[in-house]
Amino acid sequence: QLQESGPGLMKPSETLSLTCSVSGGSISSSSFYWGWIRQPPGKGLEWVGTLFYTGSTYYNPSLKNRATIFVDTSKNQFSLRLRSVTAADTATYYCASGNTFDVWGQGTQVTVSS
Amino acid sequence: DIQMTQSPSSLSASVGDRVTITCRASPGVRNDLVWYQQKPGKAPERLIYATSTLQSGVPSRFSGSGSDTEFTLTISSLQPEDFATYYCLQHNSYWTFGQGTKVEMK
């Protein structure tokens, strides 16, 4: 199971930090891929980025190098940081596992507003 | 970058109808294509992966076909619980979602 946690409400220019807690297995062995996907209100799904078990990371170019994904194996979780947020980053953020996103968290709503 | 074009963006159908949704990839993605179903307020759920492999527990009225640049999700006989939004995803080169298809009740 995956469970996202995050700040809920943020101001423009701040750094968004989201965490995905993994339960029911070790993050080091239960999947090779760990990803983040977001969905703005009323819109479609957008891939944000993915962490491969080797430590390699892949990001959506549209984020213009603002995103960082990293893992904390001691806490069995992985995280997303998104710098310099704007209203366009308002979305429900999902974490998911696997190359085909076979397991998803329930999502966490993030609103960017001044 | 791989572009995914999903159509239609919405459709109206009745229970029992056969429904077809298409995703086109440019350039091609071999068979690295996944279909999801999303209901309001819920996370997407994987229906089909590797173009045509049904996720365990998914009813057999769902099927996927295609290859490389053109893919299809078919619901052979639409059921009340199938009214939802459907997305395709390519994972051949990074990851790209289609724009989604909302299946509404006629």
Side-chain angles (χ1 to χ4, degrees), chain B:
Chain B
D1 291 7
I2 295 181
Q3 303 299 316
M4 301 299 294
T5 303
Q6 186 173 341
S7 61
S9 57
S10 65
L11 64 90
S12 297
S14 301
V15 172
D17 284 353
R18 182 181 183 89
V19 169
T20 300
I21 299 168
T22 298
C23 263
R24 291 186 170 84
S26 177
V29 297
R30 299 188 300 181
N31 76 331
D32 297 332
L33 196 286
V34 184
W35 290 98
Y36 300 90
Q37 177 192 70
Q38 186 180 33
K39 295 184 177 179
K42 300 292 188 181
E45 295 184 354
R46 191 177 70 171
L47 292 176
I48 289 169
Y49 59 97
T51 299
S52 59
T53 303
L54 211 61
Q55 174 72 25
S56 175
V58 173
S60 59
R61 63 181 178 272
F62 290 93
S63 64
S65 63
S67 67
D68 204 35
T69 61
E70 187 157 335
F71 303 88
T72 299
L73 171 69
T74 300
I75 310 172
S76 60
S77 178
L78 195 67
Q79 297 303 299
E81 61 268 30
D82 301 336
F83 291 99
T85 302
Y86 294 85
Y87 294 92
C88 62
L89 168 78
Q90 72 80 20
H91 60 96
N92 179 263
S93 176
Y94 296 97
W95 292 261
T96 314
F97 287 95
Q99 297 86 351
T101 296
K102 187 174 184 179
V103 177
E104 300 176 299
M105 191 176 301
K106 185 182 286 183

Side-chain angles (χ1 to χ4, degrees), chain A residues 92-114:
Chain A
T92 297
Y93 286 75
Y94 297 98
C95 59
S97 64
N99 191 28
T100 60
F101 304 142
D102 50 311
V103 178
W104 294 62
Q106 65 185 27
T108 186
Q109 174 70 41
V110 174
T111 301
V112 181
S113 174
S114 55

